[in-house]
Amino acid sequence: MAFAPSPIPSRTQFVLEAIKHGILTGGLSPGQALVETELAARFGVSKTPVREALKTLAGTGLVVMSQFKGVTVRTVDAGMAHEVYEVRLLLEPEALRRSLARHASLDAARDALFRADEAVDQAERSLANREFHRELYLSCGNPLLTRMLDEVRDQAALVSTVAWAADPSWDREADEHREILRLALAGDAAGAALALHDHIASFVQRAFPEGDQK
């Protein structure tokens, strides 16, 4: 008999999404302590859903649990950034090629790009940019490939949040997104994949030069 995983209770899901949103939009800074009692009071819940949410976030790599320091938002350095982006470089362009080979619709990616251009703050723009990238690989036809990219998606967003705080290079990346989409819409799968690869590689190299790695 197959057993389906138990769904996350609604209070835990609420707390999880709220903390994740705070991390990925810069409201919670890398290295910041996440104290169960404080979070429980903030969200009006008991410590149990907070504890479960933090465990889930630790599994995604957004927070770190330490016996001595407690729970903190994960810090970002050059080594961590290059590890995460190396996975993206290996998988994301190939997933885009496969999506285009399947003649996937790019309407959702175009809509996400429009929302990023029209965003009124960094949080909204960051979320739209993340959605743009996901829509490029979502229809690749390989569920495992999609899950692998989804698994590094939050960590990549954390890297971006830290990088943008130091150098808000929104306009350059928006131009690169438009070029990727233009090539994809033109049916140039190889060109779009190369543009995506260069976009990912240049971002992490600008934000975290390899000479800074420890």
Side-chain angles (χ1 to χ4, degrees), residues 7-16 49:
I8 298 177
S10 58
R11 288 186 179 181
T12 299
Q13 187 66 41
F14 166 74
V15 173
L16 188 155

Side-chain angles (χ1 to χ4, degrees), residues 29-89:
S29 304
Q32 181 174 338
L34 299 174
V35 183
E36 287 183 11
T37 53
E38 294 177 359
L39 292 170
R42 176 178 173 181
F43 298 123
V45 298
S46 69
K47 290 196 297 183
T48 298
V50 173
R51 186 177 303 118
E52 293 304 313
L54 292 175
K55 287 180 181 177
T56 300
L57 290 169
T60 67
L62 287 182
V63 308
V64 177
M65 290 184 160
S66 167
Q67 181 180 354
F68 304 104
K69 295 184 179 180
V71 184
T72 57
V73 178
R74 183 173 183 176
T75 57
V76 175
D77 59 22
M80 177 270 196
H82 281 272
E83 285 178 4
V84 171
Y85 272 65
E86 183 178 18
V87 174
R88 293 187 65 193
L89 285 169

Side-chain angles (χ1 to χ4, degrees), residues 177-195:
H177 284 173
R178 282 188 280 271
E179 177 62 7
I180 293 165
L181 184 61
R182 184 190 69 79
L183 291 166
L185 289 170
D188 185 354
L194 178 60

